[in-house]
């Protein structure tokens, strides 16, 4: 069951735009982040939750989608995310990036999958513009944007080819394929 959830928690970039995410859902997901492990238990991560149409549109303008899909400009208006969790690091608690971000982000991602949601981590965003737009206080840095919605696309995991190309691709039916290294390629030693 857990493996199914991990497999299900893929990156989705097209959503049912008419299906909304409630603030309660976003709050629950942020709680999974809050409950996640943190180095020295410092807990520097905080969250901005966005689900209004107006703010969704504005956040969308500041994030970059699917760098490998050169001829795709991102989801069309009716297939855009229903909400976002903006992950912040409180610099007054911890100034440096730690592993906390990734751990909390995956808790949120798995929780979203369990709710039937899907999303995409977005590390490529216009930091200063987004900070201004969301009126983020000086002591915070935006570390990650998590786009969320009800997925409207199929994502298939593939064994990576002999050439080792890591680029994901879309086929003629717009199914999204993601190459993953095989287990025997990532286990270096069994001692
Ligand atoms: C830290 C991080 C940053 C990412 N940034 C972006 C991004 O800016 N835009 C995007 O479309 N996808 C982004 N992704 C999604 C990756 O492209 C995706 O995880 C990868 O293609 C593998 O697909 P999968 O998540 O379905 O396994 C990011 C993922 C991670 C973990």
């Amino acid at each position: 069951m857990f493996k199914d959830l991990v497999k299900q928690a893929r990156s989705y970039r097209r959503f049912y735009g008419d299906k909304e995410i409630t603030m309660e859902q976003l709050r629950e997901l942020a709680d999974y982040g809050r409950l996640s492990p943190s180095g020295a238990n410092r807990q520097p991560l905080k969250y901005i939750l966005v689900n209004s149409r107006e703010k969704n549109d504005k956040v969308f303008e500041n994030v970059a989608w699917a760098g490998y899909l050169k001829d795709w400009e991102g989801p069309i208006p009716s297939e855009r995310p229903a909400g976002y969790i903006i992950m912040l690091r409180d610099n007054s608690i911890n100034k440096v990036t730690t592993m906390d971000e990734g751990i909390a982000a995956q808790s949120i991602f798995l929780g979203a999958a369990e709710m039937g949601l899907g999303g995409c981590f977005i590390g490529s965003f216009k930091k200063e513009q987004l900070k201004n737009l969301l009126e983020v206080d000086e002591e915070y840095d935006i570390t990650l944007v998590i786009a969320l919605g009800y997925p409207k696309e199929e994502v298939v995991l593939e064994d990576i080819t002999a050439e080792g190309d890591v680029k994901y691709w879309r086929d003629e039916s717009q199914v999204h394929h993601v190459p993953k290294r095989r287990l025997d390629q990532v286990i270096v030693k069994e001692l």
Side-chain angles (χ1 to χ4, degrees):
M1 285 248 319
F2 180 70
K3 194 167 187 180
D4 289 339
L5 196 62
V6 172
K7 282 186 178 169
Q8 193 188 322
R10 302 267 58 80
S11 294
Y12 293 101
R13 299 180 178 87
R14 287 172 291 169
F15 307 92
Y16 289 98
D18 53 346
K19 286 196 176 183
E20 293 178 2
I21 299 184
T22 64
M23 211 30 95
E24 286 67 36
Q25 285 174 299
L26 293 177
R27 284 177 63 87
E28 180 69 4
L29 293 174
D31 210 26
Y32 302 157
R34 179 183 73 89
L35 293 169
S36 297
S38 170
N41 202 26
R42 298 188 76 175
Q43 305 167 65
L45 302 181
K46 311 221 167 149
Y47 304 92
I48 294 178
L49 311 179
V50 181
N51 75 346
S52 69
R53 174 63 59 94
E54 182 223 340
K55 281 286 185 290
N56 281 348
D57 289 348
K58 296 229 160 84
V59 172
F60 181 86
E61 286 168 17
N62 290 288
V63 298
W65 296 90
Y68 290 144
L69 302 180
K70 296 292 177 208
D71 54 356
W72 188 63
E73 291 175 355
I76 58 174
S78 60
E79 296 181 345
R80 289 183 181 168
Y84 296 87
I85 294 180
I86 316 287
M87 186 182 281
L88 309 174
R89 187 185 54 249
D90 186 336
N91 288 317
S92 70
I93 300 175
N94 197 350
K95 275 196 168 58
V96 293
T97 303
T98 62
M99 290 192 188
D100 288 18
E101 283 86 352
I103 295 168
Q106 184 67 355
S107 296
I108 291 169
F109 225 48
L110 291 172
E114 194 196 45
M115 288 181 192
L117 293 167
C120 191
F121 296 135
I122 302 188
S124 179
F125 54 87
K126 295 177 193 157
K127 210 167 198 166
E128 284 316 307
Q129 283 96 319
L130 205 50
K131 232 179 141 174
N132 289 336
L133 167 75
L134 300 170
E135 298 177 349
V136 178
D137 288 346
E138 265 315 297
E139 71 258 36
Y140 298 121
D141 263 347
I142 301 178
T143 61
L144 190 68
V145 175
I146 306 176
L148 291 161
Y150 288 90
K152 198 189 172 184
E153 67 180 350
E154 191 185 346
V155 178
V156 178
L157 295 181
E158 307 282 355
D159 278 348
I160 207 160
T161 59
E163 296 78 49
D165 191 352
V166 295
K167 293 191 188 75
Y168 46 79
W169 77 94
R170 293 232 180 110
D171 65 25
E172 56 287 345
S173 310
Q174 297 306 305
V175 173
H176 186 89
H177 298 262
V178 181
K180 293 284 181 191
R181 298 188 208 285
R182 294 189 319 270
L183 188 59
D184 61 286
Q185 292 175 306
V186 300
I187 295 178
V188 177
K189 278 185 194 177
E190 293 181 358
L191 301 171

